[in-house]
Amino acid sequence: MSAGRDVKEAYLSVRQDMAAAALAAGRGPDAVSLVAVSKTHDAPHIRPVLAAGHRVFGENRVQEAKQKWPALRADFPGLSLHLIGPLQSNKAAEAVALFDVIETVDRDKIAAALAVEMRRQNRWPRLLVQVNTGREPQKAGVDPADVPAFLQRMRDVHGLQPAGLMCIPPVEENPVPHFQLLRQLAGAAGLAELSMGMSSDYAAAIAEGATLVRVGSAIFGSRPAARPGPATLPA
Ligand SMILES: *Cc1c(COP(=O)(O)O)cnc(C)c1O
């Protein structure tokens, strides 16, 4: 069996599981979007998923996305590219030019840099705020207690409209309480988008109200272990 067919079948199986999880939670089949996380995988691995009609992808590094996606975008109109990794303010211009959704806004410096670039480029990616639900010192994200104030500063100081929240629960913990906390915070703030759930727990996240799940290895297979994980802060 070719790698391409493996990836396509894995993709279709994730879609099926997602639909079943949505149904079980009494949610419509379109209530949850799949962000196919293609980081570290090259275009030949991504194309089968594009060919199957999928158009929403996640990358965690601006440089890597910039190398891979412009050519694919030319071949597959209607793409939506999500930045799911930490953003440095000196990459804000490239991020605004490249991404349709930036899921990892977590401090004023980034919000300010994005605001400047969005106006300058007249491009308006949707913005999610990353929340460090586990309060892990090494992990990016706003402290849960600071979420309301940060959202307010995004609006009032930076003139940005956050669309929702995103979290990466601690690896060793049951993710469900983290999903519930994220939903609670978004509900209190009147935000619609909830990006939570990865390969190992997207069904649980859908049960807790995820509107976006970010699934990588369950579709594309395992990644080389050498790269720093998603939790690391920008240097
Ligand atoms: C890599 C990554 C994912 C996907 O992880 P899998 O376990 O491979 O599904 C999801 N979210 C973020 C932020 C990531 O960096």
Side-chain angles (χ1 to χ4, degrees):
M1 196 186 274
S2 76
R5 187 183 298 168
D6 280 352
V7 169
K8 185 184 171 186
E9 281 176 3
Y11 162 72
L12 292 174
S13 145
V14 166
R15 303 275 346 182
Q16 242 167 31
D17 288 351
M18 285 179 62
L23 186 68
R27 307 179 62 195
D30 300 326
V32 193
S33 297
L34 171 62
V35 181
V37 177
S38 48
K39 65 185 184 197
T40 78
H41 296 288
D42 54 12
H45 279 83
I46 301 172
R47 281 183 181 274
V49 179
L50 285 159
H54 195 72
R55 291 293 179 270
V56 186
F57 291 84
E59 290 283 345
N60 69 335
R61 287 161 182 265
V62 175
Q63 283 320 104
E64 184 186 339
K66 201 178 157 188
Q67 281 157 21
K68 281 196 311 211
W69 282 97
L72 290 169
R73 213 187 257 283
D75 288 353
F76 296 95
L79 271 184
S80 176
L81 203 54
H82 290 226
L83 178 63
I84 61 169
L87 178 59
Q88 292 161 268
S89 51
N90 63 5
K91 298 254 172 67
E94 288 172 302
V96 167
L98 196 56
F99 290 96
D100 305 286
V101 181
I102 296 173
E103 299 203 12
T104 50
V105 183
D106 69 349
R107 53 199 190 280
D108 286 90
K109 196 177 173 193
I110 293 296
L114 289 172
V116 167
E117 280 307 322
M118 287 162 71
R119 285 194 201 93
R120 201 176 64 81
Q121 300 182 29
N122 194 25
R123 251 186 74 81
W124 308 93
R126 284 163 67 73
L127 303 178
L128 272 56
V129 170
Q130 182 173 353
V131 182
N132 188 359
T133 58
R135 294 190 156 133
E136 296 171 277
Q138 84 286 6
K139 195 169 273 183
V142 178
D143 186 282
D146 297 337
V147 167
F150 183 66
L151 291 171
Q152 190 165 351
R153 287 201 304 282
M154 276 184 75
R155 296 191 181 98
D156 297 350
V157 178
H158 306 294
L160 299 172
Q161 292 303 324
L165 303 180
M166 174 271 215
C167 75
I168 311 170
V171 218
E172 306 287 324
E173 287 181 31
N174 174 5
V176 169
H178 297 274
F179 298 155
Q180 290 170 340
L181 173 59
L182 199 71
R183 177 165 70 174
Q184 210 174 67
L185 292 167
L191 298 177
E193 296 285 2
L194 275 177
S195 175
M196 55 192 201
M198 312 186 0
S199 288
S200 57
D201 54 19
Y202 62 87
I206 290 170
E208 299 301 335
T211 62
L212 295 163
V213 293
R214 311 178 307 269
V215 179
S217 46
I219 297 171
F220 296 105
S222 57
R223 291 178 293 270
R227 285 176 182 260
T232 48
L233 287 164

